């Protein structure tokens, strides 16, 4: 088997939109890093039957609306 072929598999911390956290193993980032989720089962309407609220953390919706505000349907 070739050396250094597989990525490092280590423990990370995942932070949900409500601030709660849990530990899991992943190849993402480095050991001990925190992955902050923008969308998770607590906030996405598909997973919680429409009772959640989408959070626009990056301003993507505002940029989209600004870019296409002149288009009328």
């Amino acid at each position: 088997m070739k050396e250094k072929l597989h990525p490092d598999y280590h423990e990370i911390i995942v932070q949900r939109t409500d601030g709660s956290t849990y530990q899991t193993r992943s190849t993402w980032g480095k050991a001990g890093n925190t992955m902050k989720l923008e969308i998770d089962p607590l906030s996405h309407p598909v997973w919680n039957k429409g009772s959640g609220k989408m959070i626009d953390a990056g301003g993507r919706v505002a940029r989209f609306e600004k870019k296409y505000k002149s288009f009328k349907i």
Side-chain angles (χ1 to χ4, degrees):
M1 180 180 278
K2 293 181 182 179
E3 291 184 26
K4 299 186 179 182
L5 180 66
H6 298 284
D8 180 35
Y9 190 62
H10 49 270
E11 288 193 4
I12 65 166
I13 300 168
V14 178
Q15 182 177 8
R16 294 181 179 153
T17 55
D18 70 345
S20 63
T21 61
Y22 64 92
Q23 283 190 331
T24 189
R25 295 182 58 82
S26 175
T27 58
W28 177 86
K30 295 181 181 177
N33 282 5
T34 301
M35 176 188 286
K36 295 182 180 179
L37 301 178
E38 292 182 7
I39 299 174
D40 63 16
L42 301 173
S43 65
H44 198 283
V46 170
W47 291 319
N48 59 31
K49 299 182 178 154
S51 64
K53 181 179 179 185
M54 291 292 288
I55 300 171
D56 185 20
R60 293 179 194 150
V61 174
R63 286 195 309 265
F64 179 85
E65 289 174 348
K66 180 180 176 185
K67 184 175 181 179
Y68 295 107
K69 69 180 175 183
S70 63
F71 288 95
K72 303 278 186 203
I73 294 178

